[in-house]
Amino acid sequence: MTSEKIIGTFLDFYRERGHRPLPESTLVRPPDDPVLFTTSGMHPLTPYLEGRPHPLGRRLVNVQRCLRTTDLGEVGDDTHLTVFQMLGSWSLGDYGVPQSLRWGYELLRDGFGVPHDRLHATVFGGDDQVGPDTDSLELWHRLGVPVELTGRENWWSNGPTGPCGPDSEIFVWTGDTPPTGTPGTDGRWMEVWNHVGMRYHRHSDGRLEPLRRPDVDTGVGLERLEMVLRGHRSVFEGDGFEPWVRGVGGLWQPDEAELRLVCDHLRSSVVVMADGVRTTNTGRGYVLRRLIRRTLTTLWRGDPARSLADLPGEPFTRTLDQFRQHADIDELRGLLLAEERRFRDLLRRGRPVVSRLLSRGLLRDEDYRHLHDTYGLPRELVDGLVDQAA
């Protein structure tokens, strides 16, 4: 099942159940939003999850591009990405979490063909403020799906304050053997879908206030779902990464970890730039700059002569198509190359500084901080300069 087919199946399922398609939002958040980028499908819906009536009604569905800098350290494993697509459905004061979970179960089983015996669920077991989610627990028992109670793992919020509530997560078995264990004991259980009962507003002092109107917010990552449905070993085998893996791998033959990071960061950079972001030293522009420079740092560890100018055009075109964006590919390539030139110049000026520090002995943490804060040299690139000087 291709990624396009997955999206179509998801949207059609919810349309048939009265959900109105919601227009996709840009990654760039409005000036009054303290968060720089859209981090989830529910992010643009926050005012409506807090009670404002939505002009499209009480049942909504969409696909939304998202960016999470919190996952940068995990990019390169089998499942984490910087930019990804989120399939989402919402009930704004309409049906409850049990109905949402039942539909989720039916879509996975009948729409996507996931066998019943390869499913597992987790449910919020309660804490000192909120009791266990017995409604979701009873629903999974009725459906005959194995379920376990957890703690904070099944509590969802989009930040330290704002709408939040208990969630139920659906896992699919990805192993080659019959399912064993639980999501907490066996990593072959892959989380694919999160159904959140938005019941509370958390205040800055940690106090929970019940929302006037409980809502339901669900989200499933397209790339992760595609990985599960197609039996891939990682998200980097999916449609969205095929042209990047082929292009980057064919050019430079990096090892697996380097290939994944470079493909993720380049793909993410294209999506971010297509939404109008340009490199700067602060805010969104700094995130973009960091993605590009992490890419170059990784590539230049293997060969300092490598250049983004050698990238083929197909990955750019395919990425814009997959994320439903319109941008001039030559302009995007020009932006990448301009940042590459700036970074090369930075390294040229930084190399003698690193050499002077090394003449005094091994670099200390304060040396790394000085090089980063004064010269913009990331630690991993300084380590590369140290290796070259050895």
Side-chain angles (χ1 to χ4, degrees):
M1 184 175 283
T2 64
S3 57
E4 290 82 2
K5 180 66 173 176
I6 293 171
I7 292 174
T9 300
F10 185 90
L11 296 178
D12 288 346
F13 180 91
Y14 281 98
R15 285 194 190 101
E16 292 168 1
R17 287 154 183 80
H19 293 67
R20 300 283 298 278
L22 185 70
E24 185 173 6
S25 298
T26 173
L27 281 177
V28 177
R29 303 306 306 143
D32 60 346
D33 194 319
V35 180
L36 296 175
F37 293 101
T38 299
T39 59
S40 65
M42 64 78 63
H43 195 161
L45 286 171
T46 301
Y48 306 103
L49 291 168
E50 293 181 326
R52 182 188 302 175
H54 196 284
L56 292 179
R58 300 169 68 185
R59 296 186 180 190
L60 305 172
V61 64
N62 88 334
V63 54
Q64 172 64 51
R65 55 187 177 272
C66 305
L67 185 152
R68 292 182 183 172
T69 55
T70 54
D71 291 339
L72 274 181
E74 298 180 85
V75 168
D77 67 7
D78 291 339
T79 62
H80 287 89
L81 298 170
T82 306
V83 168
F84 59 95
Q85 300 194 63
M86 181 73 79
L87 305 172
S89 65
W90 294 272
S91 164
L92 303 180
D94 195 331
Y95 55 85
V97 174
Q99 178 63 76
S100 180
L101 292 173
R102 180 180 293 277
W103 280 338
Y105 168 78
E106 292 174 357
L107 178 53
L108 286 172
R109 185 194 62 185
D110 303 330
F112 293 128
V114 178
H116 170 90
D117 61 3
R118 296 177 77 89
L119 295 173
H120 202 294
T122 59
V123 169
F124 182 66
D127 59 17
D128 57 354
Q129 289 183 289
V130 178
D133 184 2
T134 55
D135 291 342
S136 297
L137 184 64
E138 291 172 1
L139 183 279
W140 289 124
H141 284 319
R142 288 198 299 272
L143 293 176
V145 174
V147 60
E148 64 176 316
L149 294 171
T150 73
R152 66 178 60 185
E153 301 93 330
N154 280 92
W155 184 271
W156 198 93
S157 63
N158 199 45
T161 61
C164 58
D167 66 47
S168 181
E169 298 174 353
I170 306 176
F171 292 77
V172 175
W173 178 254
T174 62
D176 296 328
T177 63
T180 61
T182 68
T185 62
D186 195 317
R188 288 173 291 182
W189 286 106
M190 178 71 65
E191 178 199 342
V192 296
W193 205 344
N194 195 5
H195 293 242
V196 183
M198 290 291 186
R199 303 177 187 172
Y200 304 95
H201 178 94
R202 186 181 295 278
H203 294 271
S204 57
D205 60 2
R207 177 173 50 90
L208 293 177
E209 178 183 357
L211 294 173
R212 293 186 295 106
R213 185 200 65 196
D215 303 314
V216 181
D217 158 48
T218 88
V220 51
L222 172 65
E223 293 86 351
R224 188 175 292 193
L225 181 59
E226 180 187 5
M227 169 189 167
V228 169
L229 296 180
R230 299 176 69 173
H232 292 163
R233 66 185 182 92
S234 84
V235 292
F236 294 94
E237 296 180 36
D239 292 340
F241 281 97
E242 186 276 331
W244 288 108
V245 170
R246 179 161 40 84
V248 171
L251 276 175
W252 300 309
Q253 295 82 47
D255 64 31
E256 183 72 12
E258 293 172 340
L259 178 66
R260 290 181 175 189
L261 185 144
V262 169
C263 289
D264 170 88
H265 283 15
L266 286 174
R267 174 178 178 260
S268 299
S269 296
V270 168
V271 177
V272 172
M273 290 188 298
D275 268 357
V277 179
R278 301 295 180 258
T279 55
T280 61
N281 289 326
T282 59
R284 280 181 285 268
Y286 178 72
V287 173
L288 174 60
R289 171 161 285 168
R290 187 180 178 199
L291 289 173
I292 299 172
R293 291 187 174 184
R294 278 169 59 96
T295 299
L296 294 168
T297 298
T298 302
L299 289 174
W300 290 345
R301 268 201 303 266
D303 181 357
R306 290 170 174 172
S307 172
L308 300 181
D310 298 326
L311 285 169
E314 183 189 4
F316 291 80
T317 303
R318 290 274 296 277
T319 295
L320 294 175
D321 289 344
Q322 289 158 353
F323 282 86
R324 301 160 297 280
Q325 293 175 293
H326 303 281
D328 184 273
I329 294 175
D330 289 336
E331 180 184 2
L332 300 183
R333 293 173 68 94
L335 292 168
L336 287 175
L337 294 179
E339 185 61 25
E340 179 181 309
R341 287 192 295 272
R342 282 190 288 266
F343 199 33
R344 283 194 187 277
D345 184 60
L346 174 64
L347 292 180
R348 180 183 57 78
R349 291 182 283 112
R351 189 171 283 109
V353 179
V354 172
S355 297
R356 284 198 300 273
L357 291 173
L358 284 173
S359 67
R360 307 171 188 170
L362 295 176
L363 297 185
R364 301 164 297 175
D365 285 342
E366 51 264 42
D367 295 324
Y368 282 104
R369 286 194 295 270
H370 171 72
L371 289 167
H372 178 271
D373 295 344
T374 304
Y375 298 95
L377 294 171
R379 188 182 186 111
E380 57 265 29
L381 191 56
V382 172
D383 287 336
L385 295 174
V386 170
D387 292 339
Q388 292 173 22

